[in-house]
Amino acid sequence: MKKVLLIISMLLGSYGFSQSLHPLEPSKNHYLALKKLNDGPNAERSSLDGIHFTPNEYKSLALSYILMTPVYLTDSQIIELKKGTVFPANSSDQTQAELEFLLDWQKKRTTAQVQRAAQFFAPIGYWPHINVMKDHPGHEANRQHVMFEGRTVLGEECTAENYPKTFALLQGVTQDMRIMEFTVKYHLLRPRPYVLERKLKPLAIMGSPSYASGHTLWAYIQAFVWSELLPDKRKAFLDLAYEIGESREIMGIHYPSDEEAARVLAHEMLSNMWSNPRFETDFKAAQSEWRTR
C-alpha cells in the first residue's frame, strides 16, 4: 500500500499542482456599480463609436512585444484570451458614466494622490527588452521593478539577489504579461478617455490603446502570483494592485473598465499558466525560498 501511495504522489507531482489556485474575488466598489450599466451602443451618441486608436499613433516597440515568445503561456492560449476581451462601446451608458467618474476624480484629486499616481506608481514597470541590454541606463532600475510589489509589502530585503528563484518566476510571468497587454490593446484599439472627453486633462499622454490597462495587468498578475506564494499576504498584495489600478484613473488615462478587465485577464492568465509544467517547476522553486521565512 505504501508503494502505491508513493506512486500516486509521484504522478500528482509530475502532472499538476497539489495546490489549488485561489478563485478570483468578486468585483467591488465603483467597478461593480459601473459594470451593471448598459455597455452596448447608444444611438444618441453613435458618432463616438467611430473613434478609435489610429495607425499614426502606433508604437513599433509596443507592437514588437506581440512578436515575442511567451514563457508560460502558449500562443494558442494568448489568442483565446484575446478573443475573450471586449470593451464597452464608446457611446454606451457605461462609458459615459465612466467618463463622468474620471471628471469627478479630476476635480477632487489631491496633490498627494497626484504625486503618488504620477511620480511613484507610473514609472514602475518591467520591460523585457531592457533586461536584454545590460549596458542600458535603465537596466538596474528595470530589474528592481520586478520585485516592486514584494518590496512594498514585505520589505526592502525582498530583492533579486535574496530571492533569485522568485525573481526568475516573476520575470517570466511579466514577459507574458507584456505580450498579452499589447496583443489585447492592438486587437481592440480603444481610444483613451481624454480623446472622448475633451474636458479631461490627463497627467500624461499615452502612446498605446487604452484597453486593458497594462499597469493594472502587471499589478494584478504579480499580486496573484505573490499571494499564491504567500497566501497569508493575499489581501495586502491585492490592496496594492487595486491602488495601482486606481492610480491610472486618478491620472485620467484609463477608464475604470480598463482596470477591471485587467484584473480579470490577469487571473485568467495565471489560470492558464497553472497547468504548464515549466510554470509549476519554477513556481515550486520560488515557493521553496519562502518556506523558512
Side-chain angles (χ1 to χ4, degrees):
M1 178 60 73
K2 287 183 179 180
K3 185 178 289 187
V4 172
L5 291 174
L6 177 61
I7 292 172
I8 292 173
S9 176
M10 291 173 65
L11 287 172
L12 287 173
S14 301
Y15 292 103
F17 278 121
S18 57
Q19 177 177 330
S20 297
L21 180 65
H22 280 79
L24 179 66
E25 285 78 1
S27 303
K28 63 181 182 179
N29 300 340
H30 62 290
Y31 301 109
L32 177 60
L34 288 165
K35 72 189 299 184
K36 291 179 179 179
L37 301 177
N38 191 327
D39 63 356
N42 185 314
E44 295 179 2
R45 297 184 288 264
S46 60
S47 61
L48 294 175
D49 290 324
I51 301 174
H52 54 80
F53 195 81
T54 57
N56 64 297
E57 299 175 284
Y58 290 7
K59 301 295 182 184
S60 57
L61 177 59
L63 284 168
S64 70
Y65 274 96
I66 299 173
L67 305 175
M68 291 182 69
T69 301
V71 179
Y72 299 125
L73 293 175
T74 65
D75 290 334
S76 61
Q77 285 173 330
I78 289 173
I79 291 171
E80 287 304 308
L81 288 169
K82 177 189 77 172
K83 288 180 180 178
T85 57
V86 61
F87 64 89
N90 293 347
S91 65
S92 69
D93 295 344
Q94 181 177 345
T95 295
Q96 292 306 301
E98 292 187 353
L99 292 172
E100 290 296 326
F101 182 84
L102 295 178
L103 285 171
D104 185 57
W105 253 128
Q106 184 169 278
K107 292 177 184 177
K108 70 183 183 183
R109 62 193 179 195
T110 65
T111 300
Q113 287 172 326
V114 166
Q115 289 177 341
R116 188 159 174 82
Q119 297 175 23
F120 183 62
F121 287 132
I124 304 297
Y126 172 69
W127 297 92
H129 74 278
I130 294 179
N131 187 62
V132 172
M133 301 179 288
K134 295 187 177 180
D135 59 347
H136 191 288
H139 183 265
E140 184 54 36
N142 192 53
R143 279 175 53 84
Q144 291 181 13
H145 289 171
V146 175
M147 303 290 276
F148 170 78
E149 290 194 6
R151 279 198 315 280
T152 303
V153 172
L154 304 170
E156 290 300 319
E157 77 282 357
C158 189
T159 64
E161 291 71 28
N162 291 339
Y163 298 96
K165 295 173 183 177
T166 302
F167 175 77
L169 173 71
L170 292 173
Q171 271 191 308
V173 167
T174 310
Q175 177 163 316
D176 285 10
M177 182 280 297
R178 288 294 179 204
I179 295 170
M180 193 78 251
E181 172 192 359
F182 292 114
T183 296
V184 170
K185 282 181 179 290
Y186 282 97
H187 171 59
L188 296 175
L189 300 175
R190 188 184 199 182
R192 293 281 174 166
Y194 50 79
V195 174
L196 295 187
E197 177 50 77
R198 297 297 182 177
K199 294 177 184 176
L200 278 172
K201 306 300 179 186
L203 300 182
I205 299 297
M206 308 306 294
S208 63
S210 198
Y211 192 94
S213 167
H215 249 67
T216 310
L217 189 61
W218 150 73
Y220 272 106
I221 197 160
Q222 286 224 354
F224 289 141
V225 171
W226 276 111
S227 63
E228 297 300 336
L229 291 171
L230 300 166
D232 62 316
K233 298 292 184 181
R234 186 174 181 86
K235 185 180 185 303
F237 281 111
L238 294 187
D239 285 350
L240 175 60
Y242 185 98
E243 186 184 6
I244 292 169
E246 191 173 54
S247 75
R248 310 307 275 175
E249 297 161 29
I250 292 171
M251 291 182 67
I253 57 179
H254 273 295
Y255 310 83
S257 52
D258 292 342
E259 321 305 339
E260 179 62 7
R263 184 182 76 94
V264 173
L265 181 57
H267 194 270
E268 290 176 345
M269 286 178 65
L270 187 56
S271 296
N272 278 271
M273 293 177 185
W274 209 249
S275 60
N276 184 320
R278 180 178 178 184
F279 178 84
E280 178 184 359
T281 297
D282 291 353
F283 179 88
K284 287 181 176 177
Q287 197 173 43
S288 68
E289 294 181 321
W290 299 95
R291 284 189 180 135
T292 57
R293 188 178 184 276

